[in-house]
Amino acid sequence: MAAPADQASSKHFVLVHGVCVGGWAWFKVATRLRDAGHRVSTPDLAASGVDPRPLREVPTFRDYSKPLLDLLLSVPPGEKVVLVGHSFGGVSIALACELFPEKVAAAVFVSAFMPDHRSPPSYVLEKYKKRRMDWMDMEFKPQDPEGKLPISIRFGPLVTRAKFYQLCSPEDLTLGRSLMRVGSMFVDDLKLQPPYTEARYGSVRKVFIVLKDDNAIFEGFQRWMVQNYPVDEVREIHGADHMALLSTPDELARCLAD
C-alpha cells in the first residue's frame, strides 16, 4: 500500500479507464491512494461505467472523452492533477494534456496507448491492429449500415480471461464480465484529427508503466511506444496482467504515489 502523504505532498489523481469498462475498474487503486491521503477522481467516460448513454449516442472520440475534459475544465486555476490513463485511456489523457497542459502535473500511461506529436492520434492504434493476435471471441461490429458511427467492440468471455484478466482472481474476472459494456476505439475518427502538438501535449511530463505480463498489449509493443515517443521515466510491474488495476493494485498504487 502507498505510504501516507502529508498535506504538502498530497496529489489529485485522475484515473482514466480503458475501453468497455468504467471508473469502477480503479476501485482497488483508488482506495489505496485515498487511504494514503491523496484526492482521487475516477470519471466514467461517455457510454462507459454507469454513464447512461448508449454507444450510438457517442459518435466521436471527443464526445467519448468529454467527461474527462469537463473535469479538467473544473480544476481551479493554479491547481494541477496527475492524469493516469490505462489502455485506451492513454489516448484520452493525451487529448486532455493537449487541451489543458497547464493543469497537468504529469501524465502516466499504464500499458496505455500513447500518441506522439508527429502523427494523428490513431497512429499507435493502427500499428497495434497490424500485429498478429488471436482475438478469440472478441466482436468488432458496425453500429449502422451507412458506417457513420464508430465500430463497436465487445469482449467475449474467452478473450477476457486469456488476454486481459489472466492473473486476476476469479472474483475480479466475474466482476469485470458483469460490468463490461460495448465500447469503441474510434479509430476512423482519430484518423481525421491532427497530431497533438509538441508545444502543448509535448510539454507535459510523462511516465510510462510497463506491465510485464500483459497478454493484451504485449511488453514489446509497450516498449515500442516508449521508443516511438520517449518519456521522462519508465517503471515496470512484474506479475501484472493487462488489468493490473485489479491484479497488482498495491504495486500500481505505489508507482503512482511516487
Side-chain angles (χ1 to χ4, degrees):
M1 186 170 291
D6 57 39
Q7 191 166 3
S9 62
S10 176
K11 304 177 182 70
H12 180 187
F13 290 94
V14 178
L15 310 179
V16 182
H17 62 80
V19 68
C20 296
V21 291
W24 63 265
W26 290 101
F27 78 97
K28 292 184 181 182
V29 174
T31 300
R32 285 156 174 77
L33 291 174
R34 289 182 182 124
D35 286 348
H38 300 288
R39 182 182 172 195
V40 182
S41 300
T42 56
D44 285 322
L45 301 184
S48 304
V50 297
D51 183 89
R53 285 166 287 191
L55 183 62
R56 65 178 176 275
E57 294 181 9
V58 185
T60 69
F61 178 73
R62 186 74 169 255
D63 294 325
Y64 169 74
S65 299
K66 189 173 185 299
L68 171 63
L69 305 181
D70 289 346
L71 190 157
L72 267 290
L73 194 61
S74 71
V75 172
E79 290 189 17
K80 292 191 175 187
V81 304
V82 178
L83 282 179
V84 184
H86 172 244
S87 193
F88 186 55
V91 189
S92 292
I93 68 168
L95 174 60
C97 290
E98 175 69 17
L99 297 177
F100 304 103
E102 73 285 355
K103 295 187 176 186
V104 183
V108 184
F109 295 80
V110 182
S111 188
F113 293 109
M114 183 172 64
D116 55 42
H117 58 246
R118 301 177 301 274
S119 311
S122 63
Y123 176 65
V124 288
L125 301 173
E126 292 177 277
K127 289 286 286 187
Y128 178 70
K129 285 175 64 179
K130 289 179 180 178
R131 294 174 63 88
R132 289 186 177 181
M133 186 165 174
D134 180 7
W135 287 112
M136 305 171 76
D137 55 349
M138 183 179 283
E139 296 179 355
F140 300 87
K141 289 184 176 180
Q143 294 191 78
D144 61 318
E146 298 80 18
K148 294 180 180 179
L149 294 175
I151 298 294
S152 70
I153 299 172
R154 184 190 297 272
F155 292 90
L158 297 180
V159 73
T160 300
R161 181 183 299 109
K163 305 291 187 184
F164 294 87
Y165 288 71
Q166 87 272 10
L167 299 178
C168 290
S169 70
E171 292 84 358
D172 288 338
L173 175 60
T174 298
L175 178 69
R177 287 289 305 143
S178 65
L179 296 178
M180 205 165 281
R181 294 182 61 177
V182 175
S184 178
M185 297 179 82
F186 301 92
V187 174
D188 290 337
D189 178 57
L190 288 167
K191 286 180 184 177
L192 303 176
Q193 307 309 314
Y196 300 143
T197 63
E198 184 175 6
R200 297 180 68 81
Y201 169 58
S203 70
V204 174
R205 172 176 168 79
K206 297 176 185 68
V207 179
F208 198 101
I209 299 178
V210 174
L211 305 181
K212 298 279 290 180
D213 294 286
D214 190 335
N215 282 351
I217 302 178
F218 293 115
E219 180 183 358
F221 191 80
Q222 295 176 61
R223 294 196 184 277
W224 174 84
M225 287 191 284
V226 173
Q227 183 180 8
N228 176 63
Y229 194 51
V231 296
D232 297 278
E233 187 176 357
V234 177
R235 296 286 189 94
E236 297 179 353
I237 300 179
H238 293 261
D241 59 11
H242 188 69
M243 292 301 291
L245 299 64
L246 302 175
S247 61
T248 55
D250 288 331
E251 294 85 347
L252 182 51
R254 277 197 296 269
C255 276
L256 296 178
D258 286 345

